[in-house]
């Protein structure tokens, strides 16, 4: 990223695998994260997202930790908060689609939250390593809503790993087309 002028926020962002277990997320910080997600764009302004945040030590946090997979259990409980990310794909029990773009829009809202965290000197690691069905049941997720991921938010306790790789810009411009 060195030779192009990408925003410092984007340049600095990475997903830590260690969090400072002493850091506590203030009410205003949590509110700012949700506010950032709130203002994400979405198809037809459908805003098909919901977030279930629990800070470390808060009631309900243990339920989230209980459902972590072995891999995420190694680091996610130390984060200042875990946020469950949900998308509304269908209208209640009707089976009718609520939004074709529900997953897309949720991802965008989570990206907003992630960059807001970065702007507040916090870091996020989004992850899928948890018992999704068990957590949906434990949280009583409503019909039409689906958990997709969780986000661990906190202060990074390890620097970005060396050797992070990305596909090239050329590849981004040509992949996905048979004529390229
Ligand atoms: C939808 C999604 C699911 C992910 N699932 C996991 C996961 O289960 N476990 C994990 O350690 N990281 C997970 N990650 C983090 C990615 O591995 C990480 O974003 C990727 O390696 C790029 O690294 P960076 O975010 O530091 O640039 C996930 C990220 C996304 C966006």
């Amino acid at each position: 990223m060195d030779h192009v002028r990408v925003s410092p926020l984007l340049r600095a962002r990475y997903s830590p695998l260690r969090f400072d277990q002493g850091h506590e997320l203030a009410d205003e910080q949590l509110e700012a994260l949700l506010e950032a997600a709130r203002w994400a764009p979405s198809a037809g302004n459908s805003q098909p997202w919901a977030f279930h945040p629990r800070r470390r030590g808060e009631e309900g946090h243990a339920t989230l930790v209980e459902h972590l997979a072995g891999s995420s259990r190694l680091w996610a409980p130390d984060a200042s908060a875990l946020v469950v990310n949900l998308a509304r794909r269908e209208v209640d029990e009707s089976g009718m689609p609520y939004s074709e773009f529900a997953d897309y829009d949720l991802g965008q809202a989570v990206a907003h939250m992630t960059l807001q965290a970065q702007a507040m000197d916090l870091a996020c690691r989004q992850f899928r390593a948890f018992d999704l069905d068990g957590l949906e049941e434990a949280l009583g997720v409503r019909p039409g809503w689906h958990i997709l991921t969780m986000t661990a938010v906190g202060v990074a306790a390890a620097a970005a790993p060396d050797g992070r790789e990305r596909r090239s810009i050329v590849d981004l411009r040509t992949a996905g087309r048979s004529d390229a």
Side-chain angles (χ1 to χ4, degrees):
M1 239 194 239
D2 289 342
H3 61 293
V4 261
R5 288 200 189 164
V6 172
S7 151
L9 272 187
L10 293 167
R11 288 168 72 101
R13 188 210 63 79
Y14 68 99
S15 304
L17 267 173
R18 279 184 55 206
F19 287 92
D20 176 354
Q21 56 186 328
H23 175 263
E24 297 196 357
L25 195 68
D27 292 346
E28 314 82 67
Q29 289 176 307
L30 180 54
E31 183 134 349
L33 294 172
L34 294 168
E35 187 70 7
R38 205 173 148 238
W39 285 98
S42 61
N45 201 19
S46 53
Q47 306 169 61
W49 46 61
F51 303 95
H52 176 78
R54 285 293 178 270
R55 287 176 279 191
R56 188 179 355 84
E58 205 169 62
E59 195 184 339
H61 183 261
T63 303
L64 305 188
V65 170
E66 271 165 32
H67 289 86
L68 295 177
S71 58
S72 53
R73 201 174 281 246
L74 296 173
W75 51 268
D78 287 345
S80 312
L82 293 172
V83 184
V84 183
N85 303 316
L86 302 101
R88 186 179 194 186
R89 291 184 188 141
E90 298 98 26
V91 179
D92 308 328
E93 276 139 6
S94 71
M96 282 170 47
Y98 176 76
S99 171
E100 181 190 346
F101 298 103
D103 294 8
Y104 181 101
D105 291 344
L106 172 66
Q108 192 147 215
V110 174
H112 272 223
M113 190 183 284
T114 299
L115 287 176
Q116 178 63 37
Q118 191 68 38
M120 300 189 302
D121 293 324
L122 298 170
C124 294
R125 188 173 186 102
Q126 302 167 38
F127 65 100
R128 167 59 187 89
F130 56 90
D131 170 11
L132 193 150
D133 293 339
L135 188 59
E136 287 200 340
E137 199 177 323
L139 297 184
V141 170
R142 286 192 177 161
W145 288 89
H146 302 269
I147 296 175
L148 274 89
T149 52
M150 281 199 228
T151 308
V153 190
V155 169
D162 291 334
R164 290 166 75 223
E165 286 189 3
R166 289 302 196 260
R167 288 165 49 215
S168 69
I169 290 178
V170 171
D171 196 34
L172 302 193
R173 294 174 65 130
T174 54
R177 282 187 3 236
S178 53
D179 64 340

